[in-house]
Amino acid sequence: MCSPRIMNHVYGAIEGRGPQMTRRAMFGALGAAALAASTAGSVSAAPVPQVAPPEGPIVDLTHVLRAGFPVWPGSQGFEMRNLAQIGGGTGSLGSLAPGATSVFYKNELRLDEHTGTHIDAPAHASADGITVEQIPPRDLVAPIAVIDIAARAHTDNDALLTRQDIVDWESDHGMLPDRCLVAMHSGWADRVGQPGAFVNVDAAGVQRTPGFDPDAVDFLLRERDIVGLGSDTLSIDAGRSTTFGAHLGALGAGKYAAEVLANLSQIPPAGATVMVGAPTHAGGSGGPCRVLAWI
């Protein structure tokens, strides 16, 4: 893992570059920071070649969004309407001149902000919380700790990630790293191709899906240093919750939530880094995002 001094250098570079900060530039910042750290105090060190992006795996924690993707009950489903096809039709959309055939392919999207793999900004559950474009860039690149409750959730749809689960994780991997994203792996992502099973509403109209115990969230907020929570379900709260304690606690404390994550089983419980590609529409409560992890 990188030292705090190196990570602070990287976070500063990200904030300085703003939306122009590419993945290659980010890894370049890591390399430059590491080089500066290794040569500190020495004026005679030989030049070191620029560090290339790592060859290790990059895991996409994002589901592919398509029509019929499961959404929160009552929410607008994802829709995509074609506006122009290459070589097809005439008109202003996709054409270089009136009456010319289209040279571009484009679509119009309609969706709820909280659709597919997405982020909840603090404003989603806090009247004075920041909106999605205001989330600091440094909070969107963080160590990720994956806490696995999949075995329990397999037999108990209402399973909760508890404070004890966090304690057990730390007994195996050490204390949670500072400024980390804590993600619940319940195995729920395997159900995404079956929307009914993913949302899992019972005969009484209650969702039966895993989530964070609000007491565990309170522990993370009081005793640990986190930037946000993640889940492979529609919500960081259990589906049956009527108080939404995980949302109100985490978002009320200025943290964010990354929900409907994919492939959490493909990254280790500890040692990976996550980048949450949050949208930047002004005043947004959240939105679909591309979430990547590297090891």
Side-chain angles (χ1 to χ4, degrees), residues 6-22 25-26 29-30 130 133-141 179 227 256 275:
I6 291 176
M7 291 309 295
N8 285 336
H9 178 93
V10 174
Y11 293 137
I14 293 171
E15 289 182 327
R17 293 285 295 274
Q20 297 178 353
M21 188 65 169
T22 63
M26 178 175 64
L30 275 168
I130 60 173
E133 83 285 4
Q134 297 174 317
I135 297 175
R138 66 179 285 132
D139 288 350
L140 298 172
V141 180
R179 301 188 64 262
V227 296
Y256 64 82
M275 180 173 66

Side-chain angles (χ1 to χ4, degrees), residues 202-221:
D202 67 15
V206 178
Q207 286 189 77
R208 316 310 297 237
T209 57
F212 281 82
D213 185 336
D215 177 66
V217 176
D218 183 62
F219 170 74
L220 290 171
L221 295 172

Side-chain angles (χ1 to χ4, degrees), residues 55-281:
E55 296 298 328
I58 295 179
V59 180
D60 197 340
L61 304 184
T62 318
H63 287 288
V64 175
L65 187 56
R66 52 174 57 91
F69 194 93
V71 296
W72 190 264
S75 296
Q76 166 69 42
F78 174 73
E79 296 179 3
M80 184 170 75
R81 183 173 71 93
N82 180 245
L83 298 178
Q85 289 278 358
I86 296 175
T90 60
S92 60
L93 293 177
S95 299
L96 295 177
T101 58
S102 175
V103 295
F104 296 111
Y105 170 60
K106 65 179 295 187
N107 301 293
E108 178 181 79
L109 306 181
R110 184 184 182 196
L111 73 164
D112 185 290
E113 284 180 313
H114 303 268
T115 301
T117 301
H118 67 274
I119 189 170
D120 290 359
H124 182 50
S126 174
D128 59 356
I130 60 173
T131 48
V132 70
E133 83 285 4
Q134 297 174 317
I135 297 175
R138 66 179 285 132
D139 288 350
L140 298 172
V141 180
I144 181 170
V146 181
I147 301 182
D148 189 343
I149 65 166
R152 196 160 73 242
H154 182 70
T155 57
D156 178 10
N157 292 337
D158 298 323
L160 294 175
L161 189 158
T162 66
R163 176 171 176 166
Q164 187 60 49
D165 290 318
I166 300 169
V167 172
D168 292 344
W169 187 97
E170 291 189 330
S171 71
D172 292 334
H173 307 290
M175 185 172 289
L176 289 167
D178 289 344
R179 301 188 64 262
C180 69
L181 176 71
V182 178
M184 176 192 72
H185 169 46
S186 70
W188 223 249
D190 294 342
R191 300 182 176 216
V192 77
Q194 303 171 288
F198 191 83
V199 181
N200 206 35
V201 177
D202 67 15
V206 178
Q207 286 189 77
R208 316 310 297 237
T209 57
F212 281 82
D213 185 336
D215 177 66
V217 176
D218 183 62
F219 170 74
L220 290 171
L221 295 172
R222 288 186 296 103
E223 305 293 337
R224 299 294 183 265
D225 181 12
I226 66 171
V227 296
L229 302 176
S231 74
D232 53 2
T233 55
L234 283 172
S235 172
I236 56 172
D237 276 291
R240 71 184 189 279
S241 176
T242 58
T243 58
F244 307 108
H247 272 90
L248 294 178
L251 275 59
K255 313 305 179 182
Y256 64 82
E259 296 170 323
V260 199
L261 295 171
N263 299 320
L264 287 173
S265 63
Q266 296 184 24
I267 60 175
T273 299
V274 69
M275 180 173 66
V276 181
T280 55
H281 54 292

